[in-house]
Amino acid sequence: MSHEATHDGHDDHGPAKGLMRWVTTTNHKDIGTLYLLFALVMFFIGGAMAMVIRAELFQPGLQVVDPQFFNSMTTVHALVMIFGAVMPAFTGLANWLIPMQIGAPDMALPRMNNFSFWILPFAFSLLLSTFFMEGGGPAGGWTIYPPLSLQMGDGFPFMIFAIHLAGISSIMGSINVVVTILNMRAPGMTLMKMPLFVWTWLITAYLLIATMPVLAGAVTMLLTDKFAATSFFSAAGGGDPVMYQHIFWFFGHPEVYILILPAFGIVSAIVPTFARKPLFGYSSMVYATASIAFLSFIVWAHHMFTVGMPVVGELFFMYATMMIAVPTGVKVFNWVSTMWKGSMTFETPMLFAIGFIMMFTLGGFSGLMLAIAPADFQYHDTYFVVAHFHYVLVTGAIYSIMAAAYYWLPKWTGNMYDETLGKWHFWISTISVNVLFFPQHFLGLAGMPRRIPDYAVQFADWNMISSIGGFVFGLSQLMFVVVIYKAIKGGKKATDQVWEGATGLEFEQLSSPPPYHSFNEAPVIK
Amino acid sequence: MRAFKNWLVAVVGATGLSAGSAFADYALNMREGVTATSQANYEIHMIIFWVCVAIGIVVFGAMIYSMIAHRKSKGAVAAQFHESTLMEIVWTVIPIVILISMAIPATKTLLAMEDTSNADMTIKVTGVQWKWKYDYVDGAAEGVSIISSLHPDHNEARLLKTGQTTESLRAQFGDQYLLDVDNPLVIPTGQKIRFLLTAADVIHAWWVPDLGWKKDAIPGFVNEAWTKVDKPGVYRGQCAELCGKDHGFMPIVVVAKDPADYAKWVESQKGAAADAAAAADRVWMKDELIAKGEKVYNTNCAACHQANGAGLPGAFPAIAGSAIANGAAAAHVDTVMNGRAGTAMAAYKSILNDVDMAAVLTFQRNSWGNSGSVIQPADIKAVR
Ligand code: HEM
Ligand SMILES: [Cu+2]
Ligand SMILES: [Cu+2]
């Protein structure tokens, strides 16, 4: 039993009561919870839009929505999932875990922490409110390419402002992460002793701080192009629409790594626990993460092979993109080596972690194929790309978040979740997600472009199968909600270590649930 | 490379993971296409695919073996090793070697693809919301211009809630639903054709899978690409860059004709062009213009302004009762000729010829209760 646990409620005050606790809280655990619940809500809103998309694509012909609304569904689905679900979920995990994993009492900047969370509900209300304005929601794709995006109706400035707000929130969250990690580690917690989740988040935070302003700049230029008669992106006024794409993807490619690096950290925590064996190649994991982060800044134009770059540019971006597969591969090999000769059990977090490794690797393979520039002249903007990024994002980022939720839920709530239901959730999700996305590789290769509401009949069979997979996957996520709800309400008490093989300060030195204020005295690092 | 690939096919085929021949039958794979580029891309796609399969077998094989053999329930005791510099070097170097061996054929293919020199003829492709315009810049068909939009029958079938199903669409259109146009692009076989791609409003992308590439058509800029088709035939594709509401409804049809048939086609086009030129020089009757204008309107303008002229509130203004369509002719002509910068209203100057322009304007000015005047082709010619 730790020192902290026995002193629970003694020299520290508990949370305030009622709604105001959540509005005014500066506690990293409360804010972490807020972020995670917000992300869950957004996951279902974005998911509902995906269901509309899959319903329309269930068979050829237009049955459900008109094309303009369809386009706004794909656009807002992506914006909500990326900026509303995955990023806030990772920030929520960072809030909960980073202080506990480095032995700090809280985040370094608690008031800013509160503020950066509470911006988000406003940002996304603004974004969703555009659906009720003249001209409807944004329908130019989540990439908001001009000139098309400039054709949006009255909602345009609201969408831009929503992106600004979400960006400000991310930047503040990232500053908090960096300051916390660099200043508040317990004595003896050297950088190379930090858990990988902390490492990956530190690097992610730098990526965010470097790239969010770039996005903000790009969308601000869109705003002035529309309302202030500038022509940054209009050839008629001396500007260049392709310039927007360069700026966007200079943000956008690091962004996709923002969406996956914390996932690498989570999986690197879970696999050793259930293999009962230390992580293989800790330092190479750190270096691989850093090299991925560096490379992610010099590959952006692989999203733009078909815009008509000079061939030297195409070659450069092809080679650089192929390079990024190397450190990514190193990570996968290290995880497999961690499993190798372990003593494995397969509780739900481990299932999701293994699902992550396998299916993320599949997404990596299609990424490698997309990196081959000449072949990308066929793959680009087809369902093949859609399959690629859903493998890395759904079975990658989202799976890691679910793995994390199952892994740390007993620590957070003090209660074990329902293991049977968790396993059902994993298996139904995993089968249906593959039924959903694997056929999209075939569709793309066979010639189906992305972002279309209707298609030729030869694509009908796979689309129907994909839609069925989609509906099952969507529904099965309700199980996740039930699991979380039940664990918060009660259940078998979790031990402090929770898992037999778990290591790290949060499992070794804190009770389950941890006290409201943990590590008021710095822990001793062995 | 080829031997390596065959070897892999054999290995993988033998383990029963995949049957290569199933690919072709169920449209699971990239199309080989009909040009050197498409075939080179197909080859390179298959090589990288099998490379991924091979790596996958090793990685997933190790994982699955480990999950079976090293489980606690089987009494496995965890080893405690946790690093090996040698292994790290091995699994950094091997992928680098594989990637370099991939980069070589990829570079060759890319350089060939981007080499648009020594073309036999040039066609300018312009993307317009939501149709394609083809201008023959040189060669026998010089001066011929084609506007190619989704075939009217398909355009009707794709409307919301018309009760279509896979079966009804297949019965009516076979496997060409949404892949058919009113006027296809016609090209000669055996000639290296250079395409100049641009757009009038937003970014589009011109993609015919059988030709092996897509390329963006960007307003204000001109991209280059090329193709050489040896086999006469009809090759279909679609716009591949989101370009607004009807992005899914701007197909591409390329008809490759052997030189003799192509020459015949050029003759017929030249005849039509001569007729059009003559038509532009005469004075038209109001009814004639309105009748022609309705057709032009329905293919070019109705997607936004709607067949009943009422537009879509918030996005596209109504023409019925519009001040422009009821006001001075000059402003109306200017709006449609030059478009409205920064909005979806494109400049139709280079898309419609004098007769079509005059006809559509006259139609707008005299329909849905509008009480405007007649605009003659000569009026358009005068402001060009
Ligand atoms: C082995 C590593 C990877 C490689 C080589 C790779 C390569 C690529 C390439 C070349 C494209 C552009 C395809 C096209 O549009 O033609 C692409 C698209 C994309 N990738 Fe990856 N990728 C990798 C990993 C990831 C990861 C880890 C993520 C996110 C977690 C990701 C997310 C995306 C997304 C979201 C897109 C589509 C963007 C859009 O057009 O909307 N990729 N990838
Ligand atoms: Cu990228
Ligand atoms: Cu398009």
Side-chain angles (χ1 to χ4, degrees), chain B residues 130 203-205 239-244 246-248 250:
Chain B
W130 291 280
I203 302 175
H204 305 262
C239 176
E241 176 68 47
L242 178 62
C243 56
D246 288 349
H247 160 59
M250 51 184 291

Side-chain angles (χ1 to χ4, degrees), chain A residues 256-272:
Chain A
V256 309
Y257 281 94
I258 289 165
L259 298 171
I260 205 69
L261 292 184
F264 292 164
I266 292 165
V267 172
S268 304
I270 294 176
V271 172

Side-chain angles (χ1 to χ4, degrees), chain A residues 59-68 71 134-135 139-141 145-148 150-151 153 235 239-242 245 275-281 283-284 306-308 311 314-315 318-319 322 325-326 330 332-334 336-337 339-346 354 357-358 361-362 365 368-369 372-382 442 444-447 449-458 460 462 500, chain B residues 26-31 38 41 44-45 48-49 52 55-56 59-60 62-67 70-73 76-84 87-88 91-92 95-96 99 102-103 106-107 109-111 113-114 129 158-162 164-166 169-170 174-175 177-179 201-203 207 209 212-216 218-221 223 238-249 313-314 342-344:
Chain A
Q59 58 173 334
L62 289 182
Q63 289 85 14
V64 187
V65 291
D66 68 71
Q68 180 71 16
N71 289 346
E134 283 243 306
Y145 283 2
L148 180 63
L150 300 175
Q151 293 184 355
D240 179 355
V242 177
Q245 301 186 16
R276 293 169 180 74
K277 189 165 159 280
L279 180 69
F280 189 88
S283 42
S284 83
T306 64
V307 299
V311 70
E314 293 175 343
L315 287 173
M318 171 168 80
Y319 301 147
M322 292 167 86
V326 175
V330 167
V332 174
F333 300 138
N334 279 331
V336 177
S337 308
M339 292 167 66
W340 192 258
K341 289 208 172 325
S343 169
M344 274 185 276
T345 52
F346 301 91
I354 291 173
I357 300 174
M358 291 200 148
T361 304
L362 264 175
F365 286 148
L368 194 54
M369 297 173 76
I372 308 294
D376 188 64
F377 278 79
Q378 290 280 42
Y379 305 136
H380 177 64
D381 265 335
T382 68
F442 306 143
L445 292 176
R450 69 191 276 209
R451 295 169 165 171
I452 57 173
D454 194 4
Y455 49 81
V457 288
Q458 55 271 41
W462 289 122
E500 190 185 39
Chain B
Y26 298 102
L28 299 174
N29 201 4
M30 186 187 282
R31 304 160 72 94
S38 69
N41 275 341
I44 210 160
H45 155 74
I48 184 78
F49 169 72
C52 290
I55 303 174
V59 174
F60 296 148
M63 270 182 87
I64 291 168
Y65 173 80
S66 174
M67 282 190 281
H70 309 143
R71 47 170 69 215
K72 197 182 171 204
S73 57
V77 179
Q80 290 301 313
F81 64 84
H82 58 85
E83 61 192 356
S84 158
M87 290 306 285
E88 303 285 354
W91 58 49
T92 306
I96 291 180
L99 288 174
M102 277 311 303
T107 305
T109 310
L110 190 66
L111 290 174
M113 263 175 95
E114 295 288 10
Q129 281 174 319
R158 62 100 174 177
L159 293 178
L160 184 59
K161 304 211 166 87
T162 40
Q164 299 286 2
T165 61
T166 310
L169 292 167
R170 184 175 281 132
D175 58 7
Y177 174 54
L178 297 185
L179 296 179
D201 35 39
V202 301
I203 302 175
W207 181 36
W213 49 266
K214 62 178 67 69
K215 197 105 194 196
D216 289 3
I218 302 168
F221 290 81
N223 270 333
Q238 277 174 280
C239 176
E241 176 68 47
L242 178 62
C243 56
K245 180 166 78 68
D246 288 349
H247 160 59
F249 308 99
T343 76

Side-chain angles (χ1 to χ4, degrees), chain A residues 173-192:
Chain A
S174 308
I175 292 175
N176 214 343
V177 166
V178 171
V179 177
T180 306
I181 296 174
L182 294 186
N183 293 309
M184 304 206 20
R185 276 169 290 133
M189 176 64 77
T190 58
L191 286 177
M192 289 309 273

